[in-house]
Amino acid sequence: MAHLAAMNRVPPSSIGHRTGPYAAVWQGQVAASLTRGIALIGESQLAPQKRLRKARQTTKVAAALLRLAPPGLKRKARSIDLALKGVRRMLAEGRDADARAEAFLRLAPALALPRRDRTRLERAMTRPMQPARHVHAADLEEVARRFSAMVAQVEGWVLPRGAGPALLRAIVSDYRRLRRDVRQALADRDIEALHALRKRVIRHRHHLALVAAMSGEGSRARWLEREARAKALGVALGRHRDDAMLDEALRSEQDASLYKAAEAALSVLVRQQDDRLGEARHLARRATRRGGKRLARLIHKAINGPARP
């Protein structure tokens, strides 16, 4: 990417002064995530619904990065974040039904049910919650238009003095809050608390990816490994939530002829949910074992080189 190439041309001695080139990398990454959304919307080889779903993922990347906005840009960043929430609502249709269906398909191989019962239960658990709305070209064009307007705004930002150090402090502060609360959320097992935790893990993952983009070649791979661990934790929490939606659907099944099959599936699902939480606790310990000060030193080393005595 052009902004990474520009970063590599900056003499190391200048890193950390004024806005720092890493603030420009942050700005470039925000714009790049939105530009990626435009590209996905226009990807003709994908079905329209899939284009919308993939574009929705790019809004999460942009939203995570916008939370790091330094003083002087916070109001502008909040404005774009609010616009992104509107886009996510446009793109979210059918997500819960898809998640429930995917959860059942992951569960199905573990079910000891007659083929006929499993097929009927699968049909019940994978049916849409409501008729799918046809995605028109105008819908795709409107989303692309909104993304383009956001990109133009972000690219027009003038980075204030001190933006680089401020956004790095924001990364560490966000991590400290995550580290403080993660174990309690996993212990409480409350679905909404776990969903909120997953959102924070997703933000942390994208913050780590940003540090990787700022880092020199010698340390980039290690930051991408950290990002992969945070991603794995987010996936485990996301699948636990999908399992919870499937749990609710199985318990509320109205077809009496499916009650026994639903009960059998529930008994397996409950064990799977426990396993999923155990996996999440293990991944959380790995992803948050460092204190905030240690993370700050590692970031400083990655983008500035070893600290001088």
Side-chain angles (χ1 to χ4, degrees), residues 139-150:
D139 298 321
L140 299 173
E141 291 171 2
E142 174 60 17
V143 173
R145 185 194 67 77
R146 294 191 186 194
F147 276 141
S148 296
M150 294 178 208

Side-chain angles (χ1 to χ4, degrees), residues 25-308:
V25 175
W26 165 76
Q27 183 180 17
Q29 293 282 0
V30 176
S33 64
L34 297 168
T35 301
R36 173 66 175 156
I38 297 170
L40 287 167
I41 289 293
E43 182 53 76
S44 59
Q45 294 182 347
L46 297 176
Q49 286 285 2
K50 193 163 188 178
R51 292 189 226 174
L52 293 178
R53 306 271 165 76
K54 284 187 169 290
R56 185 171 183 266
Q57 294 173 0
T58 68
T59 68
K60 295 181 180 181
V61 180
L65 297 177
L66 286 167
R67 288 182 66 89
L68 303 174
L73 289 177
K74 286 186 179 295
R75 183 174 295 180
K76 293 179 179 179
R78 277 197 296 268
S79 175
I80 292 180
D81 190 39
L82 286 173
L84 280 174
K85 288 178 181 177
V87 171
R88 279 200 294 278
R89 284 193 291 270
M90 291 176 62
L91 302 178
E93 184 177 338
R95 173 66 190 108
D96 286 353
D98 287 348
R100 184 191 66 194
E102 290 166 6
F104 183 83
L105 294 175
R106 286 193 295 267
L107 181 71
L111 299 181
L113 291 172
R115 179 177 295 181
R116 179 174 178 274
D117 290 348
R118 188 167 71 177
T119 300
R120 293 184 62 231
L121 187 60
E122 178 178 331
R123 192 177 297 125
M125 293 299 108
T126 58
R127 63 174 173 251
M129 293 179 178
Q130 58 189 12
R133 181 177 68 86
H134 181 67
V135 179
H136 298 281
D139 298 321
L140 299 173
E141 291 171 2
E142 174 60 17
V143 173
R145 185 194 67 77
R146 294 191 186 194
F147 276 141
S148 296
M150 294 178 208
V151 171
Q153 290 180 56
V154 172
E155 290 180 339
W157 287 349
V158 176
L159 293 168
R161 185 181 180 88
L167 75 89
L168 297 182
R169 287 193 297 271
I171 291 174
V172 174
S173 178
D174 197 74
Y175 170 73
R176 282 185 171 131
R177 287 192 294 271
L178 170 64
R179 188 171 186 264
R180 180 192 63 201
D181 299 337
V182 63
R183 287 169 181 78
Q184 189 62 51
L186 287 168
D188 289 346
R189 303 171 66 99
D190 178 76
I191 295 301
E192 291 309 313
L194 289 170
H195 183 49
L197 175 64
R198 176 174 174 260
K199 291 180 179 179
R200 295 169 68 179
V201 169
I202 289 172
R203 288 201 303 266
H204 178 58
R205 171 203 167 184
H206 295 309
H207 294 171
L208 293 175
L210 175 64
V211 176
M214 296 172 180
S215 301
E217 292 295 335
S219 61
R220 188 166 300 157
R222 290 193 293 276
W223 285 98
L224 291 175
E225 288 173 5
R226 294 180 180 113
E227 186 246 345
R229 287 197 290 270
K231 179 181 179 180
L233 174 56
V235 168
L237 291 169
R239 289 189 171 177
H240 183 274
R241 179 172 173 78
D242 294 349
D243 288 347
M245 286 190 283
L246 177 59
D247 184 300
E248 182 180 356
L250 287 167
R251 293 179 191 276
S252 59
E253 177 54 49
Q254 298 299 308
D255 187 341
S257 67
L258 287 175
Y259 285 174
K260 287 187 177 180
E263 287 177 0
L266 272 169
S267 67
V268 178
L269 181 62
V270 168
R271 291 195 299 271
Q272 180 174 281
Q273 286 176 293
D274 288 340
D275 292 343
R276 199 83 74 190
L277 274 182
E279 177 190 8
R281 291 187 187 104
H282 170 71
L283 291 167
R285 283 193 294 271
R286 293 195 66 200
T288 62
R289 68 180 186 272
R290 293 180 178 84
K293 288 184 179 179
R294 174 62 176 160
L295 182 70
R297 285 195 294 268
L298 288 172
I299 293 174
H300 183 280
K301 182 177 178 181
I303 64 174
N304 292 336
R308 293 177 182 176

